[in-house]
Amino acid sequence: MSATIHSQVVDLDGFIPRVVSHDREEKDMENLLPWVFQESEIVKEECLDDWPVQDSKFTFFFKELIDYYTEFDPRGPDLAAMSMREEIVLPRKSWAGSKMDPARSMIRSQGLILRLLMLDIYRSLEGVRGQGVEIRFPISASTVKYLIGGDQYGSRPEGEVTVGPRDESLPILSYTGWFKEQTWSEFLGQTLGIMLGQLAKNIRVQRPLQDQEVFVIGFYGPHIHIARGCFPRATISRVHAKGCSDNEVFELEFTRGYNLCRKDDWLEATRALARLFRYLLSGKAEVAAMQAFLPEDVAADV
């Protein structure tokens, strides 16, 4: 399947709505500030040796992240500098490809790092647990098969956050991988493929079908970003049944890339991720899985 992706980097306030009070969000930021950023503006390997044993939050995450960063120029490629309009070919299997195989170990590391990050952030947010909904952080993600115009595609993210009982859980966030030889077009195609796989699992529990938004978190070079896709119900139905039109355009929004070893980037990234969790758990997100499993009387501002 070929299509055009129009991508843009969006400021946080235009990307994820704040659904809690200003005071609540600032309290989240206090809870998400690790020990190391109370002592330094930049995390270096030697900082890990001094980390207090009694304050272990985010320690495993930073150990893995610093190991990962040894592979890169810390400046890395910049999402904002890439082409905003790109022709892509959707991969039949998001996890396959001769160029990807040599980078498999690095991509698995990205999935582990993102899982550690999201788990620690979720555990740090006051009031989000015990709302009658099960949020899980599985070690691995399952493969999803879906149809576009009668042709079968497969999607397997590098990890995910799910909602619901273990045997019925559905993804609400997926992790995407990146490798050095990947072109911008391939990166966008893979990102869209992961989004469509998550979308396919979500819409199975929604009748009648509604507009959907899909969030993924991933690496691009050494930096972490959030991406968002919006899929109108008419487009979902048409593409599923008939495939893409000759001039099909998908809109993807990205945050900027964050170097999480820098305090200023850490503060902005964790604000975005905490806000994303709060948004999903508020019931206001157009995510079918949350609408299916979230109790009607639950609100995120708790």
Side-chain angles (χ1 to χ4, degrees):
M1 184 197 86
S2 299
T4 299
I5 290 184
H6 179 258
S7 61
Q8 59 179 327
V9 174
V10 182
D11 290 339
L12 176 58
D13 288 337
F15 188 75
I16 305 169
R18 179 165 60 84
V19 295
V20 296
S21 68
H22 172 77
D23 289 346
R24 166 66 78 183
E25 186 165 271
E26 293 309 309
K27 180 63 174 177
D28 285 344
M29 296 309 298
E30 290 179 21
N31 292 336
L32 290 169
L33 187 66
W35 169 84
V36 67
F37 286 132
Q38 299 173 33
E39 305 294 325
S40 174
E41 296 293 313
I42 298 176
V43 181
K44 298 180 180 179
E45 188 171 5
E46 53 266 29
C47 297
L48 301 179
D49 296 330
D50 299 327
W51 205 301
V53 175
Q54 66 273 19
D55 187 4
S56 61
K57 187 165 57 178
F58 294 111
T59 53
F60 293 124
F61 164 76
F62 277 109
K63 287 177 182 177
E64 294 293 332
L65 184 67
I66 287 174
D67 284 345
Y68 175 76
Y69 274 3
T70 60
E71 299 283 332
F72 298 100
D73 179 336
R75 292 168 295 181
D78 183 3
L79 281 169
M82 306 308 291
S83 171
M84 294 179 62
R85 193 174 183 88
E86 190 77 16
E87 301 293 326
I88 65 99
V89 175
L90 188 69
R92 283 300 185 99
K93 297 179 179 179
S94 70
W95 64 91
S98 58
K99 291 170 62 178
M100 185 181 292
D101 290 342
R104 180 53 55 192
S105 177
M106 183 184 74
I107 295 172
R108 279 197 295 266
S109 294
Q110 294 169 7
L112 170 62
I113 291 167
L114 292 170
R115 179 178 182 270
L116 291 171
L117 175 65
M118 299 307 292
L119 183 57
D120 277 347
I121 288 177
Y122 179 73
R123 288 174 172 172
S124 299
L125 300 179
E126 295 178 357
V128 298
R129 287 183 280 181
Q131 296 189 57
V133 62
E134 298 179 63
I135 302 296
R136 300 181 183 277
F137 300 81
I139 295 175
S140 60
S142 58
T143 300
V144 182
K145 295 180 180 179
Y146 58 95
L147 295 176
I148 296 179
D151 295 327
Q152 182 171 280
Y153 291 80
S155 170
R156 184 193 301 156
E158 301 309 317
E160 59 191 8
V161 181
T162 67
V163 63
R166 190 179 304 275
D167 58 347
E168 301 176 20
S169 62
L170 295 171
I172 55 173
L173 292 170
S174 297
Y175 310 150
T176 60
W178 172 89
F179 57 97
K180 293 179 182 179
E181 292 75 20
Q182 190 176 44
T183 66
W184 177 240
S185 176
E186 290 169 341
F187 168 79
L188 290 175
Q190 184 186 32
T191 299
L192 178 62
I194 297 299
M195 286 184 172
L196 293 178
Q198 180 175 318
L199 177 66
K201 292 194 76 172
N202 270 251
I203 62 176
R204 294 171 188 172
V205 298
Q206 188 174 68
R207 294 292 184 275
L209 180 64
Q210 302 294 325
D211 297 347
Q212 293 292 299
E213 54 187 334
V214 177
F215 292 94
V216 301
I217 303 160
F219 277 89
Y220 188 68
H223 301 150
I224 289 172
H225 63 270
I226 310 170
R228 174 178 179 259
C230 293
F231 301 91
R233 61 181 179 179
T235 301
I236 297 171
S237 297
R238 174 177 53 78
V239 170
H240 173 70
K242 300 179 180 180
C244 290
S245 63
D246 292 338
N247 58 350
E248 196 76 54
V249 177
F250 293 96
E251 304 279 344
L252 299 186
E253 295 178 337
F254 292 84
T255 63
R256 70 178 182 88
Y258 302 111
N259 178 344
L260 296 188
C261 281
R262 298 182 60 88
K263 184 177 181 178
D264 54 347
D265 278 21
W266 173 268
L267 292 173
E268 187 173 338
T270 53
R271 184 181 296 275
L273 292 169
R275 187 179 288 190
L276 178 54
F277 267 129
R278 296 277 187 193
Y279 177 53
L280 291 168
L281 289 164
S282 72
K284 297 177 181 178
E286 294 181 323
V287 176
M290 292 307 305
Q291 294 165 351
F293 287 110
L294 197 65
E296 292 183 2
D297 60 344
V298 169
D301 195 2
V302 293

